[in-house]
Amino acid sequence: QVQLVESGGGLVQAGGSLNLSCSADGRKSRIDTMGWFRQAPGKERVLVASITRIQGNTGNTYYTDSVKGRFTISRDNAKNTVYLQMDNLNPEDTATYYCAYGTGVRLSVKDVLSWGQGTQVTVSS
């Protein structure tokens, strides 16, 4: 079982930046994917970005269309930590952001084995 601890988030004005981090503790697979989902009130939880690790090396990344060019996901495999740098934020990015962990190279809601506690990101106009 992998435990995830998130940090970051908060309130920022439109056009601003925030950085989220998520540390993973526990036994992990040689092939895994970590990512960030977000959920706005009344909406479903959707994948924002993910990054794969294959036998110690960082692999593919994925971004949903609405964040491409603004968000950057990265991971420090030595620290078992994944980061989400969010730039040029807009009010539509307001949501609770959840770190997620899964084995394999894909990360959909059904693939997630562990969730973080969630951190609120609020972007004011």
Side-chain angles (χ1 to χ4, degrees), residues 87-105:
D87 297 319
N88 194 21
L89 286 160
N90 59 61
E92 290 69 38
D93 296 314
T94 295
T96 301
Y97 285 68
Y98 296 90
C99 180
Y101 173 88
T103 57
V105 298

Side-chain angles (χ1 to χ4, degrees), residues 27 57 64:
R27 186 172 182 176
N57 297 312
T64 194

Side-chain angles (χ1 to χ4, degrees), residues 45-73:
R45 190 171 297 188
V46 296
L47 179 63
V48 175
S50 66
I51 186 166
T52 298
R53 180 180 64 98
I54 302 176
Q55 296 183 334
N57 297 312
T58 297
N60 292 336
T61 57
Y62 163 85
Y63 297 93
T64 194
D65 285 345
S66 63
V67 308
K68 287 180 180 177
R70 301 188 298 121
F71 290 12
T72 304
I73 191 169

Side-chain angles (χ1 to χ4, degrees), residues 12-13 15-19 85-89:
V12 66
Q13 289 187 332
S17 298
L18 286 172
N19 186 272
Q85 176 66 36
M86 304 183 292
D87 297 319
N88 194 21
L89 286 160

Side-chain angles (χ1 to χ4, degrees), residues 30-49:
R30 289 183 298 172
I31 300 174
D32 62 29
T33 299
M34 293 184 69
W36 294 90
F37 289 75
R38 68 186 181 188
Q39 186 168 23
K43 296 188 177 181
E44 65 180 11
R45 190 171 297 188
V46 296
L47 179 63
V48 175

